[in-house]
Amino acid sequence: MSEELNRQRVLSLLDALYAGDVEGVLARCTDDVEFVSHAPVDVLPHLGVRRGKAEIREMWQTVQQRYKEMRHEVIELVAEGYKVAALLRLFFRKRANDRVVQFDLAVFYTLRDGRIARIHEVIDTFDLVEQVLERDLSSLLTNKPPEPT
């Protein structure tokens, strides 16, 4: 199995994803694709665990409803056999108020028969939740006043 080919498959998936082409993303996945993102689903209900193309489609459609613009930068990309790891910097512009949420994301892809079979995301959810809620949670948790911006 070509590591370079798998690397290109993941890059192609990322390009489709951040261009808003959900069906293009799904075409690059197995029918039983599994998505795992350890995140507080009370705040980020579209994350968590999703299985199959229908659930993945619903998740990305929810993201597109919340954010009007998404872009990514690939910081690192490493392929080994049928596994690919990526460190991404993401920029999502909220539909509600035009604010940009910026965060880093580590994603681990597993490929099977040339398609993405598993997507496992690791996010600094504390930082992400602060940005999504537009609140300084550190000051709330520590009873300290928020730092001036």
Side-chain angles (χ1 to χ4, degrees):
M1 182 172 293
S2 167
E3 292 169 346
E4 182 57 30
L5 184 55
N6 286 337
R7 185 180 185 286
Q8 290 304 317
R9 288 175 171 143
V10 168
L11 288 171
S12 175
L13 176 119
L14 291 170
D15 287 343
L17 179 60
Y18 294 106
D21 181 8
V22 174
E23 294 307 315
V25 170
L26 296 174
R28 292 165 173 84
C29 294
T30 61
D31 290 338
D32 64 343
V33 61
E34 180 183 44
F35 173 90
V36 177
S37 184
H38 305 283
V41 293
D42 291 345
V43 179
L44 304 165
H46 53 283
L47 296 179
V49 176
R50 304 278 184 243
R51 289 186 177 86
K53 288 184 176 183
E55 289 185 12
I56 301 291
R57 179 183 292 109
E58 180 184 342
M59 174 188 66
W60 280 109
Q61 287 173 340
T62 300
V63 171
Q64 288 177 336
Q65 290 168 1
R66 292 177 174 212
Y67 302 96
K68 65 180 179 181
E69 179 185 315
M70 299 184 297
R71 69 181 180 87
H72 74 291
E73 296 174 1
V74 177
I75 307 300
E76 303 253 356
L77 192 71
V78 178
E80 185 174 301
Y82 59 90
K83 296 191 178 249
V84 178
L87 177 59
L88 309 173
R89 179 152 299 135
L90 304 179
F91 304 86
F92 288 18
R93 185 173 300 279
K94 291 180 169 185
R95 285 192 187 278
N97 62 9
D98 241 15
R99 292 189 71 155
V100 174
V101 175
Q102 174 186 323
F103 59 102
D104 290 347
L105 173 69
V107 193
F108 304 91
Y109 301 93
T110 303
L111 289 93
R112 184 176 69 232
D113 299 325
R115 297 190 186 277
I116 308 295
R118 187 162 198 270
I119 303 167
H120 187 151
E121 295 185 346
V122 179
I123 310 168
D124 177 354
T125 54
F126 189 84
D127 175 56
L128 180 57
V129 167
E130 282 189 317
Q131 290 183 66
V132 168
L133 296 178
E134 299 176 20
R135 303 211 41 207
D136 179 358
L137 298 179
S138 296
S139 65
L140 290 174
L141 295 172
T142 62
N143 291 321
K144 294 180 182 176
E147 292 192 24
T149 54

